[in-house]
Amino acid sequence: MSENAETDAEETNADGAAEDTTGDGATADDAADAPEAVIDAGVGAGGGRMREFVESEILARFGDGSARVGLGALEDGSVHSVEGDIVLTTDTHVVDPPVFPGGDIGELAISGTVNDLAMMGATDPIALTCGLIVEAGTPESLVTDVLDSMAAAADRVGVEISTGDTKVMGAGEIDRIAINTTGIGRVTGEPLQAARLEAGDRIVVSGPIGEHGLAVLSAREGFDFGGDLASDVAPVNDLVRAAMAAGTVRTATDPTRGGLAMALNEFASSADAGIAVEERAIPISEAASAAGEVLGIEPLDVANEGVAVFGVAPDDADAVVDALREAGAPDATIVGEVLTDHPGRVVLDTGIGRRYLAEPTGEQLPRIC
Amino acid sequence: MAASTDRDLQFRDPEKAEQLSDRLEELMAEIDGRVDVMHVCGSHEQAIAKFGLRSVLPDGLSVRMGPGCPVCVTDMPEVDEAVALAEDGKIVTTYGDMLKVPGTAKSLADARDEGADVRVVYSASEAAEIAAETDEDVVFFATGFETTAAPTAAVLADDPPANFSILSAHKYVPPAMEVVAEMPDTNVDAFLAAGHAAVITGSGIFEEFVDEYEIPTVVGGFEPLDILLGLVKILEFVRDDEAGLANAYPRCVTEDGNVPAKEALWEVFETTRGEWRGIAEIPDADLALRDEYAQYDAREIFDIDAAYEDEQDPLTAKCISGDIMAGKADPDECELYGEECTPENPVGASMVSSEGTCKIWLEYGGHPDL
Ligand code: SF4
């Protein structure tokens, strides 16, 4: 079976805890010493407890799709029939906290991989994998909530999760939960690539910038922006499909780690062209802007999980923006243009002066002093 | 979606900014020469870099940062003292920006990685609260200029727990301005003084300085228009060949400043001679505890053994941060800038703090000719 059970987890007495995890439940109202159901090493140990977990928690959620041999067969892999060019992508997700305003790591894992496929032009993914690594002692409810989110996000896209793997690590060996998702999708036509950008192309963003990164950082730092600031995590393959249908899209990217600043610098260096951006044209919500000020973090430097950035042929830019707005991205807008000057660099017009927009250096940490 | 009101603030109005930069052009034409302005505040550098202000300054007007980053001027032996205290089992508390500042052999972050109890606090009072909750010795490694020295003073004046002490690396800006103004190879025609230090000390504090050194000085705020307005006032002084003092930040700064805070500051601290990292030894620019507060002075209470001289990182010798803070060099003239020296692996303090020129330049894309 693909939910293979190799594990380095030390032998653990999967007695009491194991029974608790299947029990119907300690609730918060129970006596203080009622143990909360947690993932124990037994889940990863490959025995009956493992099979029970896979059947009750994984198969029940991810089910079977169009694969010739799917997850339900519990074979060593799934089998798919495909023709033409395939995009293959993988991403491993860790986020602190794993549940944040607007989403959780499960939705993030599915969206991230669906979006990576879409950014290459594969807007209708074929199948995803789910590699789940859980720290022993993690509340089982956190894991099942995350699996629920994964199932819901995959449903929304219409993609199946057709193979996977579960490991349980010892306490302290990882932080609660990590998820790897690999995806395959079919690309028809030219793959989208930054190297295809040409001078004069317009840069289009599909939505407000900075929401995810600032929501997560705010949650981590214990700031509450009154519910106004939530992650934008979502699959955006439908937006990419709409954009590609409306005009010549040369490249697309989802500005995740490193944010818009990183994405634009990557465009500039791959295309060996300059990129001019109007800072005031970039949609940024009031809440994100306020959180950025409080935390001392630039919204342009933080991850977005439900935004696509496009390089579009100049004559098609307006049509692409209209199509994006119609497809559910009301804030879609043109923010910049590809230049012949300043090859490899991004020039930001702040409305007052001009400077280079640098790639963020390292992890974005809130100001401490 | 709602537009960001933040960015539409009146102090970021592009039209007014353009009018002010036109005015700077006119003044520079009248002056018909080069003008070197030094500002003394990391927040000024940050605003200048972030808004790309240098791209709208007229040719011949140079604005660069002096010794305006409190983290950067904290001397290596001072960091060594803090590290030694931490290694000696004291709970050492400090502002987050101090953690990675390299000492001779190691930083507080290194000491923490090796097991020392080093904690980040947001204020001196938070450090005193930690002391109230433990029997162990809690030392606050107190850094910063007037803006943070005044709150440290307030905590000490308010009878903190007996197991609380401070290791003062507080510094006082005006004497450092004098030293930089006097340096033979530094060309400073005028100072843009830091708005928030002046909130405490008042703009009047610079009167003597202006009289004695005959250098026009203008107190400036931190929004783009504040800075441009400050520069306009500076150029007016320069054109009129007048060593004047002006306050271009009156919405926050008064002539007298915050009198109770100032009183607390001078009740607790006195100025003493001290080394500013990479710049010079400066008379009267370090803040030491007065004798009346000796029972809170870590240097009095503990026998601090911090001798690391032999182990200095060879890269550190290449750091030109001192020249940068003296207005003699820009970060991209440093051979380590952005390569061996990055915010994750800083060689010099200027790459550590969000107030440091090297870090600011790296973050906001340097000082381009745009
Ligand atoms: S780049 Fe680093 S080594 Fe160079 S001057 Fe700045 S802090 Fe020092």
Side-chain angles (χ1 to χ4, degrees):
Chain A
M1 62 184 250
S2 55
E3 272 288 338
N4 76 67
E6 290 161 42
T7 175
D8 299 329
E10 71 273 32
E11 253 185 65
T12 312
N13 53 329
D15 50 10
E19 279 149 32
D20 291 342
T21 56
T22 56
D24 50 14
T27 70
D29 296 325
D30 286 347
D33 59 352
E36 184 182 16
V38 296
I39 298 292
D40 58 275
V43 171
R49 174 88 187 95
M50 167 90 195
R51 170 171 281 273
E52 188 188 312
F53 181 82
V54 169
E55 282 175 357
S56 67
E57 307 300 349
I58 309 257
L59 287 187
R61 285 177 173 81
F62 297 167
D64 268 340
S66 62
R68 269 189 73 187
V69 179
L71 183 66
L74 288 178
E75 285 295 341
D76 286 322
S78 58
V79 178
H80 305 265
S81 310
V82 288
E83 260 170 46
D85 290 339
I86 295 298
V87 185
L88 175 66
T89 187
T90 190
D91 204 352
T92 302
H93 303 267
V94 287
V95 57
D96 172 26
V99 179
F100 43 78
D104 65 26
I105 188 173
E107 191 175 1
L108 191 67
I110 299 300
S111 305
T113 296
V114 167
N115 292 347
D116 283 347
L117 292 171
M119 300 309 155
M120 294 302 297
T123 55
D124 297 292
I126 296 166
L128 306 180
T129 69
C130 166
L132 193 64
I133 310 174
V134 187
E135 180 188 18
T138 302
E140 187 162 326
S141 59
L142 171 66
V143 178
T144 53
D145 286 353
V146 163
L147 292 171
D148 280 340
S149 294
M150 293 184 79
D155 258 3
R156 191 170 143 197
V157 177
V159 64
E160 65 186 291
I161 299 168
S162 66
T163 187
D165 175 52
T166 300
K167 290 280 189 297
V168 178
M169 305 281 284
E173 290 175 6
I174 65 155
D175 184 10
R176 289 164 287 181
I177 186 165
I179 303 173
N180 173 275
T181 40
T182 294
I184 50 169
R186 208 178 354 244
V187 59
T188 49
E190 275 298 290
L192 303 180
Q193 274 183 284
R196 292 173 53 201
L197 286 169
E198 292 170 16
D201 283 353
R202 300 294 191 266
I203 304 297
V204 171
V205 300
S206 72
I209 293 300
E211 307 284 306
H212 173 78
L214 288 163
V216 169
L217 276 171
S218 302
R220 193 183 304 164
E221 296 302 308
F223 286 108
D224 180 5
F225 289 90
D228 289 345
L229 188 58
S231 168
D232 58 353
V233 56
V236 294
N237 57 319
D238 46 356
L239 294 181
V240 180
R241 194 187 306 118
M244 288 170 74
T248 302
V249 173
R250 299 206 222 271
T251 187
T253 193
D254 52 341
T256 52
R257 202 164 23 162
L260 187 63
M262 189 75 173
L264 293 175
N265 273 287
E266 282 170 1
F267 276 7
S269 80
S270 300
D272 198 24
I275 290 183
V277 182
E278 297 271 342
E279 188 171 23
R280 288 173 193 234
I282 300 170
I284 298 180
S285 73
E286 240 175 87
S289 178
E293 292 272 324
V294 169
L295 298 165
I297 295 223
E298 291 290 331
L300 302 187
D301 289 351
V302 302
N304 309 273
E305 295 292 345
V307 175
V309 186
F310 301 94
V312 180
D315 295 342
D316 294 344
D318 288 331
V320 166
V321 167
D322 289 344
L324 287 168
R325 289 184 179 172
E326 226 156 87
D331 299 318
T333 188
I334 298 172
V335 299
E337 179 174 346
V338 179
L339 308 171
T340 41
D341 291 350
H342 308 288
R345 313 239 23 193
V346 180
V347 178
L348 187 76
D349 187 327
T350 67
I352 291 186
R354 280 150 49 97
R355 65 168 163 99
Y356 286 130
L357 178 63
E359 286 176 11
T361 49
E363 195 191 347
Q364 296 306 299
L365 296 170
R367 121 173 76 229
I368 21 190
C369 151
Chain B
M1 66 179 280
S4 161
T5 50
D6 174 54
R7 290 182 298 166
D8 300 335
L9 272 180
Q10 47 177 328
F11 303 111
R12 299 180 184 185
D13 180 336
E15 254 170 57
K16 293 211 178 89
E18 206 178 316
Q19 286 164 12
L20 286 168
S21 66
D22 289 349
R23 180 82 188 116
L24 290 173
E25 292 277 359
E26 284 166 25
L27 285 162
M28 281 305 283
E30 288 173 42
I31 291 165
D32 192 21
R34 185 184 161 82
V35 179
D36 287 282
V37 176
M38 176 174 278
H39 68 80
V40 202
C41 180
S43 302
H44 273 151
E45 186 61 27
Q46 206 162 27
I48 289 168
K50 173 171 169 164
F51 291 99
L53 282 184
R54 288 197 175 92
S55 71
V56 300
L57 297 183
D59 288 345
L61 173 59
S62 144
V63 180
R64 64 204 316 175
M65 167 143 159
C69 164
V71 174
C72 307
V73 298
T74 302
D75 203 23
M76 233 181 247
E78 291 173 315
V79 176
D80 292 346
E81 286 178 298
V83 168
L85 286 168
E87 293 187 328
D88 196 32
K90 321 283 183 262
I91 298 174
V92 171
T93 57
T94 193
Y95 297 115
D97 272 8
M98 290 310 301
L99 275 197
K100 278 197 172 180
V101 177
T104 314
K106 53 180 91 160
S107 65
L108 281 169
D110 297 332
R112 187 174 65 176
D113 290 346
E114 290 164 15
D117 194 346
V118 177
R119 303 186 195 176
V120 169
V121 291
Y122 293 84
S123 63
S125 58
E126 197 185 330
E129 281 165 29
I130 293 176
E133 284 161 18
T134 175
D135 294 333
E136 289 176 54
D137 289 315
V138 175
V139 181
F140 178 53
F141 184 29
T143 60
F145 299 137
E146 296 84 315
T147 334
T148 53
T152 304
V155 168
L156 292 180
D158 193 29
D159 229 0
N163 59 336
F164 177 72
S165 60
I166 75 159
L167 178 68
S168 177
H170 280 307
K171 303 212 180 312
Y172 183 57
V173 174
M177 288 166 62
E178 294 175 23
V179 165
V180 171
E182 288 285 273
M183 283 182 175
D185 42 355
T186 305
N187 236 336
V188 183
D189 299 308
F191 277 105
L192 181 67
H196 33 232
V199 169
I200 307 279
T201 53
S203 56
I205 185 99
F206 298 109
E207 247 161 48
E208 256 176 63
F209 169 77
V210 169
D211 286 348
E212 187 167 338
Y213 294 88
E214 297 187 343
I215 291 187
T217 299
V218 174
V219 174
F222 304 98
E223 290 291 345
L225 295 193
D226 290 328
I227 292 171
L228 291 172
L229 181 67
L231 291 174
V232 165
K233 290 195 186 251
I234 282 175
L235 289 192
E236 284 171 354
F237 283 139
V238 173
R239 177 200 55 193
D240 300 341
D241 206 8
E242 186 192 335
L245 171 65
N247 177 6
Y249 194 32
R251 68 177 187 279
C252 294
V253 172
T254 62
E255 193 181 340
D256 293 335
N258 181 336
V259 175
K262 223 165 40 174
E263 281 171 2
L265 176 69
W266 295 123
E267 184 199 312
V268 172
F269 289 107
E270 60 190 350
T271 56
T272 162
R273 202 177 180 83
E275 186 77 32
W276 283 41
R277 184 175 189 137
I279 300 177
E281 194 180 304
I282 305 178
D284 299 328
D286 273 21
L287 293 173
L289 285 176
R290 289 183 186 275
D291 288 344
E292 294 84 335
Y293 288 87
Q295 86 250 37
Y296 296 119
D297 189 342
R299 292 192 182 95
E300 297 288 330
I301 311 169
F302 306 114
D303 184 19
I304 305 175
D305 181 17
Y308 292 119
E309 283 80 39
D310 295 345
E311 305 169 42
Q312 188 168 359
D313 178 351
L315 279 185
T316 312
K318 296 188 178 172
C319 175
I320 60 163
S321 164
D323 286 348
I324 293 170
M325 289 186 283
K328 298 182 218 166
D330 284 330
D332 49 10
E333 292 169 42
C334 172
E335 57 178 295
L336 307 181
Y337 173 73
E339 304 287 336
E340 284 98 335
C341 182
T342 61
E344 281 90 69
N345 274 313
V347 173
S350 297
M351 193 57 94
V352 174
S353 164
S354 47
E355 305 263 290
T357 316
C358 298
K359 171 135 185 236
I360 293 169
W361 277 43
L362 208 61
E363 195 162 300
Y364 292 110
H367 174 183
D369 205 5
L370 285 171

